[in-house]
């Protein structure tokens, strides 16, 4: 009976040893899982920081290579003489400027109007010249007829 008890005690100690080894391995796995979790949290934090930085990105703006304004966003504003349009093509912001009005624009439009008026006057003069030419042809025909009649009457 003592021998059986010792055998059972030995098996229990063996099972206890194996349980301790399994416990150690489980603790190691738990530690590795925590390390992986911490690394994932760090990567997540870095990704969020990069995302925030990208969304809040600012540029340094120069006017004619001087007068810099650092870390500002860009806002193009329409004026009385320039309109601005911004579109995106997937990788770039495309900025278009269109001239509107202004002294030079107004002068060009006035010159255009004057040129059109002169064109109209020239067309009118051409019409009058054509009418005068037609009248001259008619007079020439009458003169030729009168000449012929005078020659026949002689």
């Amino acid at each position: 009976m003592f021998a059986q008890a010792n055998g059972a005690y030995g098996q229990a100690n063996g099972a206890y040893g194996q349980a301790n080894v399994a416990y150690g391995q489980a603790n190691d796995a738990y530690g590795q899982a925590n390390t992986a979790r911490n690394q994932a949290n760090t990567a997540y934090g870095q990704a969020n920081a990069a995302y925030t930085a990208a969304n809040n990105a600012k540029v340094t703006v120069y006017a004619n290579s001087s007068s810099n304004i650092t870390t500002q966003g860009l806002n193009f504003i329409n004026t009385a003489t320039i309109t601005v349009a911004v579109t995106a093509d997937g990788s770039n912001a495309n900025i278009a400027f269109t001239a509107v009005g202004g002294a030079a624009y107004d002068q060009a439009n006035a010159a255009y109007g004057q040129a059109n008026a002169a064109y109209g006057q020239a067309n009118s003069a051409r019409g009058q010249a054509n009418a005068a030419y037609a009248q001259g042809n008619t007079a020439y025909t009458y003169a030729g007829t009168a000449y012929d009649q005078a020659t026949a009457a002689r």
Side-chain angles (χ1 to χ4, degrees):
M1 202 156 65
F2 182 67
Q4 286 178 339
N6 274 341
Y9 177 76
Q11 286 177 347
N13 270 340
Y16 175 76
Q18 289 175 350
N20 273 339
V21 169
Y23 175 76
Q25 289 173 341
N27 274 339
D28 289 344
Y30 176 79
Q32 290 171 350
N34 273 340
T35 298
R37 179 183 165 273
N38 290 339
Q39 289 172 344
N41 278 337
T42 299
Y44 177 78
Q46 290 172 342
N48 272 340
Y51 177 79
T52 300
N55 281 334
N56 295 319
K58 303 292 180 176
V59 296
T60 299
V61 180
Y62 296 92
N64 301 314
S65 300
S66 63
S67 304
N68 69 340
I69 301 172
T70 304
T71 62
Q72 300 294 312
L74 294 175
N75 182 22
F76 294 96
I77 299 173
N78 292 337
T79 67
T81 57
I82 300 289
T83 59
V84 181
V86 179
T87 58
D89 65 8
S91 61
N92 294 307
N94 299 309
I95 303 163
F97 299 98
T98 304
V100 178
Y105 179 83
D106 294 342
Q107 289 173 351
N109 269 344
Y112 177 77
Q114 290 172 350
N116 272 340
Y119 175 77
Q121 290 172 349
N123 270 343
S124 176
R126 179 179 175 266
Q128 290 173 353
N130 278 340
Y133 177 78
Q135 289 173 351
N137 273 341
T138 300
Y140 176 78
T141 301
Y142 289 157
T145 301
Y147 176 81
D148 290 343
Q149 288 174 351
T151 301
R154 215 195 299 169

